[in-house]
Amino acid sequence: MSAPRPEEVTDSPYAGVAEHVRRYIASDGRDGHLEAGVTNLVLTTRGRKTGKLRRTAMFYTEDDGRYVVIASHMSGGPVHPDWYQNLVANPEVHVQVGPDKFDAVARTATADEKPRLWAKMTELWPAYDTYQATAPREIPVVVIERA
């Protein structure tokens, strides 16, 4: 009996992000972990409508052994990014940070956590404050913890 085939994964629909993800995966995180001078991870979610695996790259920071990301989209666009909507529907995710690959659980930061975590992320990427100032929605902060 042969081993089951790995599931197909679809990369971001945005060409630049998809190219970044491919470089990151192909180099085991050596090319792409530091992008635009900021640390990046690759997040894989399960599509809430299709059930298929979806992969994207994003800036992150660490907080007490957890990873923190911002659910911005199109510099503060009017809707939450698909990856965020996917993890709200199914919080079990897969993450790659550099060469480290692991299963995790993702959740929206609580109201008490968000201000401190938002401040950590804006130290990393100050433009998040501009995105929030112009966004017609509250931009979520996401906490990712190893499973």
Side-chain angles (χ1 to χ4, degrees):
M1 182 185 259
S2 63
R5 287 184 167 177
E7 269 186 86
E8 183 178 327
V9 180
T10 302
D11 291 333
S12 172
Y14 302 100
V17 177
E19 185 272 331
H20 178 193
V21 168
R22 285 190 289 276
R23 282 189 292 110
Y24 199 113
I25 299 300
S27 70
D28 206 25
R30 288 182 301 280
D31 182 3
H33 181 249
L34 191 64
E35 191 87 358
V38 181
T39 52
N40 284 249
L41 58 75
V42 172
L43 176 71
T44 304
T45 60
R46 186 161 301 278
R48 67 196 177 284
K49 296 176 186 172
T50 66
K52 294 182 179 180
L53 296 177
R54 308 288 185 191
R55 193 164 54 192
T56 193
M58 63 193 66
F59 298 157
Y60 78 90
T61 193
E62 291 185 59
D63 181 69
D64 197 25
R66 308 173 303 171
Y67 297 91
V68 178
V69 298
I70 299 287
S72 68
H73 179 61
M74 298 170 50
S75 303
V79 297
H80 294 313
D82 286 340
W83 65 262
Y84 175 74
Q85 294 179 62
N86 289 344
L87 70 79
V88 167
N90 182 359
E92 295 174 357
V93 298
H94 186 78
V95 180
Q96 181 172 343
V97 178
D100 190 18
K101 302 169 188 92
F102 55 93
D103 292 325
V105 176
R107 63 175 176 81
T108 304
T110 66
D112 288 341
E113 293 174 304
K114 185 177 178 179
R116 184 180 65 79
L117 297 176
W118 183 270
K120 282 188 81 156
M121 286 301 294
T122 58
E123 285 177 26
L124 190 69
W125 192 254
Y128 286 133
D129 280 333
T130 302
Y131 300 170
Q132 184 59 79
T134 59
R137 65 183 172 92
E138 183 76 17
I139 299 175
V141 173
V142 175
V143 177
I144 302 169
E145 300 179 84
R146 289 177 184 267

